[in-house]
Structures are given as structure tokens and as C-alpha cells.
Amino acid sequence: MENNSRYYTVKTIADVTGGTLFHGAPGAIIDHLVTDSRRIIFPGSSLFFALPGPRRNGQEFIPDLYQRGVRYFVVQTQPAGNDFTDAGFIVVPEVLEALQALAAWHRKQFQIPVIGITGSNGKTIVKEWLNQLLEEDFNIVRSPRSYNSQIGVPLSVWQIRPEHSLGIFEAGISMPGEMEKLEPVIQPTLGVFTNLGEAHQEGFSGFRQKAIEKFRLFRNCTKLVYCKDNISDWLDLEGSEKSLLRGDIELFTWSRTGPARLQILKEQRQEHGTIIVGLYHEKEFRITIPFQDRASVDNAITCCCVLLAMGFDTDRVSERMKFIRPVGMRLELKRGINNCSVINDSYSADLSSLNIALDFLVQQRQHRTHTVILSDFLQTGIDEKELYEQVASALRQRGINRMIGVGTRISAHREILDSAVEQTAFFLSTQDLITRFQPSQFRDEAILVKGARVFEFEQVSRLLEQKVHQTVLEINLSNLVHNLKQYQRCLKSSTKIMAMVKAFSYGSGSYEIANILQFHKIDYLAVAYADEGIELRKAGITLPIAVMNPEENSFGALLDHNLEPAIFSKGLLLAFEKFLKSEAIPEFPIHIKIDSGMHRLGFELHEVDGLAQRLSGNNWFKVQSVFSHLAASEDPAQDEFTRKQAGILLEACRKLETSLNYTFMKHIANSAAIVRHPELQFDMVRLGIGLYGVDSAASGQLELKEMATLKTTIAQIRELKAGETIGYGRQGLITRDSRIATIRIGYADGFRRNLGNGVGNVLVRGKLAPVLGQIAMDMAMIDITGIMDLSEGDEVLIFGEGLSITRLAQWAQTIPYEIMTGISQRVQRVYFEE
């Protein structure tokens, strides 16, 4: 019987998994299954599976998850102690088996057709193309990205809901016995086998065993699509090996070499695609696809066969195949340093995908020089000498100019590779390469970065030149914590805090600031753009992160790094919805921005009814918060306008809550409003520049401490006579005999030009020294006449204790925000605690 729901009680889940429930509420409803503690979005309805791993046990994350609101856990041993008073634990013999059993039981509740895909390569491409080809006819649920593992498959299948009419799931295995566990989870009705290749060969005795293991996915299918040419050497599915499948299965085969349901007669490459001519039901059948490479042609033929097997007529199939679109996969072409192009394929290293990536590399004709950075090849099942001879042959055939090998195995076969490439270099580890990396060695070339996942080659793709500079920005983390506690005193215990760490944490740093905020249990972080959030995720920050200015080209990064966009316009909303549909990612958390009077970004009040209608019943979004931005909360003369802004936000929230039928967080208060408008705390406040000790509204009410100190040093000291001039344009006129110091800071470091010619001062030995002449790009001159005992190399304070950033901003006729965010990234950051 169909369940028509995805929402199960904790007691039901315990029964299904064969576990024993200890504590908690048996009737609590579970909606989300989580195996990665960093991806908790809806803690109240999540069930965390504490999977044991080779390095860390999932149970280690239970205390942190409990603090973040998760209350139900599947474990192999119940945690000791009384620290989890209202938590429920389902104790099972094996957590992974429990996850798979739950997903398999969930799958049985839905009697919909399901396409199951496996093979050595092309699974994700075929899945995504089938989604493109069939989305007009079905409400499709499919694996997000390449979720095809023992963990990824059950998480994918868990997405099935009553409204879905077709499922498309992929499954990958690396050793015998794994497909036996995945088949009951997917329970495919139509099977698709893409090909049999070398990937993960090491786990099998040979290609025949791997083929048998993969085909176990199809044992209960009623139809099966595959290429006879690829499998016939290993299995005879129409003869002796038919026992692997159910007796009444319909085999839909295709072949280039002999008779098949679809026999390929001709393939004609054209400028913008390929024409494929086949024989189907004794009639010629022609399709055109917008791709030329062999892998795409194979995948397209497989997709064509699936549609024919599902009963689509040839005219409809032919028409739809014209419009299949590229799928964003692992090969990403990006601009690199020194006018290079970089292709990032840092997820796999096998011969099949190497050849595909090399073909893509040599297509980049804007560069004559081609470099390949390559890791060890793992789990190929091929003799290593033969393996690297094939690698060398592939490099030689494409005319690769340089190869950089990383790993002990590839380094051991350097003699083979030296013979194939003009220039080679070898490193024993990724860290070894990073340590010895010199950006100047890469210029005007196309670079393929390709490595097995364990080598973490994404680090190689992001290498940046380190610069040493005697100008230093010191960050006092103790003062940051002090300021946080000052503001927390103003808040109700229920009020959450979103810390603004955009623009490199107002110039103070990214991970270092976010890490201490995370340690002190801040609820949310906010950045301006996705790349700032990505850096925090890569540095291990697990807090929820809101992206205030998301861009369409960053949508993929939002998903990859669990970043939550602030949606501020209809166009952005529609674009993100389209993207989520293309990636099959439902219920993605978003924040809605309301324009209450700032008139910068946001939905205006008259647009909210339409917004509410769009969001109502929309399965692709989950609204986490609705917020607005105060224009003048620090100014008493604008208090009436501030209250008006708050009223507009509350009215927008009322309309949205009525339409959405669930609650969300509301926030509008910034640093100044926390102090001056405590009635506007709502559910959360956004703490920004006040964290860094700069908030004019807090003067006299909070004891804030500036946390940043900018210092430089004296490069040279000289004596000048009255009447001489200093710097560009001779604008620095000496009116008396003076002692002048040149200091190592300029406008390229963020020392603003309008501070020159006596406008600004710096602090030397506790005394103010005026800035003389025009400030240059890297240098400035100061008058140190009368300041005793100074030498070259001595310290100069630009702002900090004794000379506040607020005073410097006043001289520069700007605000502390601009001073802080204007400090160049070439200025070294030093962090310390007192």
C-alpha cells in the first residue's frame, strides 16, 4: 500500500531499521536524513546517522549537533552520560545498514517507475540527459549530482515524494557485494548500463566479475538498455547469463558492429554536432546531437534507447535529442594566473577519464603550450608498468608539453613518462607540490589538473602567490570576544545573532574571525559573495552562512558548499528556482530581503503578494528568514523612519507567513539598533562593525574595544632643509629644517591618498607625526622632527591604541567601514589573543 507521505515517526523508523529507541518522543516526525554534520539545515526534523569511518566516528559529532538543535540520532552505541536529556537514540547493529533499510522501505511505499543506472563512466551524464528528455512528461526525482555510493543512493531515494511520477537514480560500486545492498534501495523497473571500463577495477578479480556484480542492479527490472559491443566479451545476457535477470525482462540493446534493437549504421561529425543514423524496426532512424566527442555520442545513443524502450515514437525522440544540453561535470575551465587557462578535474584518475580530459585540454587552442598535473592512478587493476605506459602514450598522442606527477606510484615510473613529454617534474605528495609551487613557472598555457579525489588537487587549482610585506594588520581576538559579549548583554536569551563577516570580515580576515565566532556559538554568519563563504567552508567553518549578494554564476557553489542565498528580486528567485530544478535539489534554504526604505536591494511591499504566491507550495525553497536593512538606526533624528521600516518588514512577514503556512526568522536590527532600538530585536540581529569595536551609537552605553591595529615601519630617515619639497608634484613643501621618515605603506595598501599633505597623521613613539606630500602607491613620508631616538626599521602606528580608526576616518572624510575594508590583501594579517 502506498504511504503517500515522506514523514515518518521516530518509532516507525526504529521498527523499520530493527533498532531500539531510547528516550525521545516516539511520535516525533522525521523529514530529513543527515550523514554529514556540516549539512544540518533543518535540525528540528532531522535524523542523524552516526556512521563510523576510517578516521572519525559519526558519534563524535553528536554533542555539537545536539547544541545545534538535532534531537534524534541513529547510533551503534548509546552515548554515556546525561548531557542529552531530550534526545532520542535509535540503537542499531550497523548504522549504514539501517540507513539503507530505511531508504529501501521508503522506496516500497511508491509504485512509480524507476530508472536505475550503473556503469563505469557516464552515469551522471545519462541521468541528467534523461531528466532533460523526460521532464515534459514526468515529475522526476533523481540523484543529486553524482550521489551513487552506499550512502549517496539511500539519501537520493529518500527524496521520493507522492507527487513524483518517475525516479532516476545512479549506483556505483567498487567491490563485490555492494550492488546487492543498493538494488533493494533503488528497486529499478528499467535498467540502464552505460559501459564497462577500468574505474575501480582493483576491487574485482576481472572484468567479468565486475560485470556480474554491476548487473545485479537489474535483477528485478522489466526492461534493460545496454550496448552489446561493450558487454558481449564478458557476459551473454541473451544466453547463458540470462539467469542474472528475471525471465520476462525485455532487453533493449544497441550496437555498432551487429544486429541489435537499435543498430548504428553511420555517425557523421559536423561543425556543431553529430548525426547518428540507426536501424530500428527495420527502418532508418536519424538523430542529431549537439556534441562531437565519442563519450557524448555513446551516452546520447543510450538515452535514445531508453526513450524508445519507454514507448516514445521515433519522431519525438529525434526532435528531443537535438536539444540535450551540456551537463556541468568535473571538467571546469577557468582563468588562471599569468594568462593561463585551468581545467580542474580533481575528482578521479583513471585511463578512460584521462583521455576525455586530455581531449578537452587540447581543444583549448588559445594556448599553444599544454601542461598536465597528474596524480597516482588508484584501483585500476592494471599492472603499474603497463598502466603508466598507457598514460605516457595518451600524453604523447596529444602532444602534451609538460607533465607534473604527484604521488609515489607515478614518481616511481618517471622514466616511462620522461620519454613521452618534453618536460617533467615529480612530487611525492600534494603538499610537496604546494610547498615548492612557483607561480612564475606557469604562464600563457592551458593546464589540466587531474587527480584522484584523495590527493585533494582542488588545493592545487587555488594556489596563490604568498607576499611578504612589513606593513601588518594585527587582530586582537580577545577584543572581538569582549565586544561580542557587550552586545549579548543587550539581547534576550532567545535572540539569535548573525555575524557579518563580509568583505574579508571588514578587512580583518576570514577563517580566523569566523572560527572564533563559531567557537563562541554565534548562530549565523553572513558574507557578501559566494567566494567568501567558500573559503570559510574550506577552512572548516560549519555554521550556517548566508550570502547577501548571490550571483547566477555562483549557484553551483552555493549547493557545493551549503551556502544560503539572500533572494532580493523576482529575477533572482526565478533563476535560482530553475537552477535547483536542474540539479534536483528540493527545499534549499533561502533568505528573503525586503526593501523597507533603504531602496538598495529587496522586494518592495507591493511585490510581496506576488512573492507569497510564488513561494506558496513551492517545493524548491525553504525560507529560513525574512529581513530588511535599516537606513539610519544610529541617528535619533531618523527614529520615526526607523520604526516605519520595521513596520513594513512586519507587514511583509505577515503576508508571507499566511501564504507559506510555516514560520521563519525575522531580523532587521544592525549593530546600532541593538543598542538604540531593543524593541527591534525580533528573532535575530545582525552584528557587523560593532564586533570590531566601532559603533558610534554604542558610545557611553557599551565598553567596546577596537580589535584592529595597522602598523608599518620606517624605511629611511633623512634631513631636509626649509624650502625643499617632498614627493610627486613637489606638493610637500618643507617650511623649516626637518627630519623626514619614509614609511612602508601607500595607497595600494589602503592608506588613502587624501590623508597626504598634512591632512592625516600617524603615531610614532606615542606622538603624532603629520603625513607630508602626496601618498604614493607603496610609500608615504612623515615629519618626525622632534621625535627622539628613531631609527630605520622602527614601528609606525597607522591606527590602533592611541590613534583610533574613527579619528583616521574623520581625517580622510570617510567612515571606519571604508578604512577597514580598504586594507589591501597584500598587508599581512597577524592574529593574537590576550
Side-chain angles (χ1 to χ4, degrees):
M1 181 179 70
E2 287 196 14
N3 183 278
N4 290 327
S5 174
R6 194 183 70 172
Y7 306 102
Y8 307 122
T9 66
V10 173
K11 176 63 167 59
T12 298
I13 292 174
D15 293 340
V16 168
T17 58
T20 302
L21 176 61
F22 292 91
H23 313 300
I29 298 296
I30 295 299
D31 186 18
H32 301 91
L33 307 186
V34 180
T35 60
D36 186 342
S37 64
R38 296 166 296 182
R39 295 188 176 271
I40 295 293
I41 299 174
F42 310 112
S45 57
S46 291
L47 177 65
F48 178 70
F49 286 75
L51 293 164
R55 296 178 62 185
R56 302 190 72 175
N57 192 313
Q59 295 206 188
E60 296 176 25
F61 301 102
I62 290 177
D64 176 62
L65 290 169
Y66 180 83
Q67 290 296 322
R68 292 160 60 190
V70 179
R71 288 297 178 266
Y72 291 95
F73 306 86
V74 178
V75 297
Q76 288 175 197
T77 58
Q78 187 179 356
N82 300 313
D83 297 330
F84 313 102
T85 54
D86 57 341
F89 296 90
I90 301 175
V91 179
V92 297
E94 296 288 341
V95 173
L96 179 58
E97 290 180 6
L99 174 64
Q100 294 170 343
L102 177 58
W105 181 82
H106 174 67
R107 165 69 181 93
K108 289 181 180 179
Q109 312 308 307
F110 302 91
Q111 304 303 312
I112 62 172
V114 168
I115 300 173
I117 306 171
T118 194
S120 298
N121 300 102
K123 296 185 291 295
T124 302
I125 291 289
V126 168
K127 178 199 69 185
E128 293 301 317
W129 280 355
L130 286 176
N131 179 71
Q132 294 176 19
L133 294 163
L134 296 170
E135 61 184 352
E136 290 183 26
D137 307 282
F138 297 92
N139 188 337
I140 300 173
V141 56
R142 69 192 194 280
S143 308
R145 303 284 173 105
S146 54
Y147 274 38
N148 59 34
S149 67
Q150 297 289 299
I151 298 171
V153 168
L155 294 178
S156 299
V157 170
W158 181 255
Q159 293 183 108
I160 302 177
R161 289 191 173 209
E163 60 265 27
H164 293 128
S165 56
L166 175 67
I168 309 177
F169 302 109
E170 55 176 299
I173 60 172
S174 58
M175 62 183 64
E178 289 187 330
M179 198 63 86
E180 289 279 356
K181 299 174 181 177
L182 297 184
E183 190 278 336
V185 177
I186 297 177
Q187 299 170 45
T189 55
L190 189 156
V192 178
F193 183 76
T194 58
N195 59 34
L196 189 65
E198 301 151 348
H200 299 292
Q201 183 66 27
E202 194 171 88
F204 303 93
S205 61
F207 277 80
R208 175 179 167 78
Q209 185 193 23
K210 184 161 73 169
I212 290 173
E213 290 296 326
K214 286 183 177 291
F215 273 83
R216 295 191 191 283
L217 177 62
F218 311 128
R219 63 187 181 189
N220 292 309
C221 289
T222 57
K223 296 180 181 180
L224 174 61
V225 172
Y226 68 99
C227 176
K228 291 176 67 174
D229 304 341
N230 181 258
I231 198 66
S232 59
D233 289 342
W234 313 107
L235 293 178
D236 180 11
L237 294 176
E238 296 173 304
S240 58
E241 260 92 21
K242 197 169 184 178
S243 59
L244 290 171
L245 310 170
R246 57 187 283 172
D248 60 347
I249 192 170
E250 176 188 343
L251 299 178
F252 197 111
T253 59
W254 69 272
S255 172
R256 290 186 174 93
T257 61
R261 288 287 294 276
L262 177 62
Q263 183 176 348
I264 305 303
L265 303 177
K266 183 171 62 175
E267 299 165 55
Q268 181 180 349
R269 266 69 174 179
Q270 297 185 320
E271 183 178 356
H272 299 295
T274 304
I275 298 174
I276 304 167
V277 181
L279 190 65
Y280 180 64
H281 285 328
E282 300 182 346
K283 294 182 180 180
E284 274 199 4
F285 170 50
R286 179 187 300 255
I287 62 173
T288 301
I289 64 169
F291 301 94
Q292 295 179 323
D293 62 284
R294 177 65 175 264
S296 293
V297 171
D298 286 0
N299 292 332
I301 294 171
T302 297
C303 290
C304 174
C305 290
V306 172
L307 266 64
L308 294 173
M310 294 177 69
F312 287 79
D313 62 62
T314 54
D315 289 341
R316 290 175 72 192
V317 175
S318 181
E319 182 64 24
R320 292 190 182 184
M321 294 298 296
K322 296 177 185 177
F323 302 106
I324 54 176
R325 305 181 300 276
V327 176
M329 288 291 288
R330 297 170 178 138
L331 290 174
E332 300 175 337
L333 178 63
K334 299 181 179 180
R335 292 183 180 179
I337 59 173
N338 302 328
N339 195 37
C340 292
S341 296
V342 179
I343 300 169
N344 180 12
D345 190 16
S346 54
Y347 298 95
S348 65
D350 61 81
L351 288 173
S352 297
S353 63
L354 173 64
N355 282 294
I356 294 170
L358 288 173
D359 287 341
F360 188 71
L361 172 65
V362 297
Q363 290 173 19
Q364 312 313 312
R365 298 181 180 178
Q366 68 269 37
H367 299 294
R368 298 180 61 183
T369 302
H370 292 156
T371 293
V372 176
I373 302 176
L374 197 61
S375 80
D376 285 347
F377 281 61
L378 307 175
Q379 295 183 318
T380 64
I382 303 174
D383 174 78
E384 282 201 351
K385 184 174 183 295
E386 178 185 350
L387 167 67
Y388 289 105
E389 285 175 346
Q390 293 187 47
V391 171
S393 176
L395 297 173
R396 186 183 299 111
Q397 289 173 8
R398 274 76 171 193
I400 301 303
N401 306 95
R402 176 169 56 161
M403 197 228 50
I404 299 172
V406 179
T408 56
R409 298 182 184 183
I410 197 170
S411 298
H413 295 85
R414 63 183 304 162
E415 185 175 343
I416 296 173
L417 296 160
D418 284 342
S419 66
V421 184
E422 299 171 8
Q423 182 181 353
T424 62
F426 294 87
F427 302 86
L428 295 180
S429 67
T430 304
Q431 189 57 49
D432 186 22
L433 170 61
I434 291 172
T435 301
R436 296 160 62 185
F437 177 78
Q438 296 183 29
S440 60
Q441 294 179 346
F442 300 89
R443 186 175 299 278
D444 300 316
E445 58 190 298
I447 307 165
L448 170 63
V449 181
K450 181 165 185 58
R453 192 179 293 267
V454 295
F455 281 83
E456 298 182 339
F457 265 11
E458 59 270 20
Q459 299 178 67
V460 178
S461 298
R462 298 191 300 267
L463 281 174
L464 298 173
E465 183 178 359
Q466 296 281 329
K467 296 182 176 66
V468 178
H469 195 5
Q470 288 191 34
T471 300
V472 175
L473 182 67
E474 292 183 347
I475 310 297
N476 187 327
L477 297 177
S478 298
N479 284 359
L480 175 74
V481 174
H482 168 84
N483 296 336
L484 172 62
K485 292 180 178 179
Q486 288 288 302
Y487 282 100
Q488 285 175 327
R489 286 169 42 197
C490 302
L491 301 175
K492 296 178 290 187
S493 60
S494 60
T495 303
K496 299 180 183 296
I497 295 178
M498 173 183 282
M500 309 301 291
V501 293
K502 61 184 181 178
F504 200 55
S505 293
Y506 296 87
S508 299
S510 54
Y511 163 70
E512 296 84 359
I513 299 298
N515 185 57
I516 198 164
L517 291 171
Q518 180 170 270
F519 180 80
H520 286 278
K521 307 302 181 184
I522 285 287
D523 302 284
Y524 253 95
L525 297 177
V527 296
Y529 297 101
D531 55 354
E532 297 173 321
I534 292 170
E535 291 305 312
L536 294 180
R537 288 286 185 244
K538 290 173 182 176
I541 299 300
T542 59
L543 284 173
I545 299 176
V547 178
M548 294 307 197
N549 296 293
E551 301 168 308
E552 287 193 38
N553 61 8
S554 70
F555 287 170
L558 297 177
L559 268 63
D560 290 340
H561 299 279
N562 195 23
L563 305 174
E564 304 175 10
I567 304 297
F568 50 77
S569 70
K570 180 180 178 181
L572 185 62
L573 181 77
L574 295 178
F576 194 49
E577 179 179 342
K578 180 180 179 181
F579 176 78
L580 292 175
K581 288 180 179 178
S582 73
E583 296 291 329
I585 305 290
E587 295 187 322
F588 198 84
I590 64 172
H591 303 260
I592 299 295
K593 184 166 189 178
I594 303 298
D595 179 5
S596 62
M598 173 80 83
H599 297 321
R600 189 173 62 180
L601 291 175
F603 292 92
E604 294 192 29
L605 190 57
H606 68 83
E607 298 177 291
V608 172
D609 287 334
L611 172 64
Q613 184 177 3
R614 185 76 192 182
L615 292 174
S616 179
N618 191 317
N619 183 48
W620 299 105
F621 302 125
K622 177 75 172 182
V623 177
Q624 293 290 84
S625 81
V626 176
F627 70 101
S628 190
H629 198 112
L630 293 174
S633 59
E634 73 285 353
D635 187 353
Q638 300 293 335
D639 284 352
E640 183 178 349
F641 185 78
T642 297
R643 289 189 288 270
K644 179 181 176 181
Q645 283 193 269
I648 290 172
L649 173 64
L650 293 176
E651 175 62 15
C653 290
R654 184 191 63 78
K655 291 183 177 184
L656 290 171
E657 280 187 333
T658 300
S659 180
L660 291 176
N661 291 319
Y662 62 81
T663 59
F664 44 74
M665 292 183 290
K666 308 171 187 67
H667 50 108
I668 194 171
N670 54 10
S671 297
I674 292 173
V675 178
R676 295 199 64 253
H677 301 279
E679 74 280 3
L680 302 185
Q681 289 183 23
F682 300 155
D683 302 303
M684 185 159 64
V685 296
R686 299 193 303 276
L687 186 53
I689 196 73
L691 268 175
Y692 309 96
V694 182
D695 183 1
S696 59
S699 178
Q701 299 189 55
L702 301 181
E703 296 178 3
L704 299 181
K705 298 179 180 180
E706 290 189 12
M707 59 172 287
T709 299
L710 181 60
K711 299 177 180 180
T712 190
T713 59
I714 295 175
Q716 189 177 34
I717 297 175
R718 68 178 69 245
E719 307 286 342
L720 294 180
K721 298 292 186 181
E724 295 192 72
T725 58
I726 293 175
Y728 289 116
R730 302 191 66 201
Q731 293 188 22
L733 177 64
I734 302 297
T735 59
R736 59 173 182 171
D737 292 354
S738 302
R739 196 167 187 233
I740 306 300
T742 300
I743 59 176
R744 293 182 172 93
I745 190 170
Y747 59 78
D749 303 294
F751 195 42
R752 294 169 60 92
R753 290 185 75 243
N754 63 351
L755 290 168
N757 296 315
V759 173
N761 295 268
V762 297
L763 205 64
V764 183
R765 295 283 173 93
K767 296 182 179 181
L768 289 177
V771 181
L772 299 182
Q774 294 276 24
I775 293 174
M777 182 180 292
D778 309 298
M779 297 285 176
M781 281 69 74
I782 60 173
D783 186 348
I784 57 171
T785 305
I787 304 176
M788 307 303 292
D789 300 323
L790 284 180
S791 304
E792 293 174 358
D794 282 357
E795 184 178 275
V796 176
L797 183 77
I798 308 302
F799 62 76
E801 187 175 357
L803 178 55
S804 73
I805 191 173
T806 300
R807 192 175 181 188
L808 185 70
Q810 290 170 347
W811 288 332
Q813 296 183 334
T814 185
I815 57 176
Y817 289 87
E818 188 171 5
I819 297 292
M820 286 288 294
T821 58
I823 299 171
S824 168
Q825 292 302 301
R826 77 177 186 178
V827 173
Q828 182 183 6
R829 269 72 173 170
V830 177
Y831 302 87
F832 66 94
E833 292 185 357
E834 294 177 341

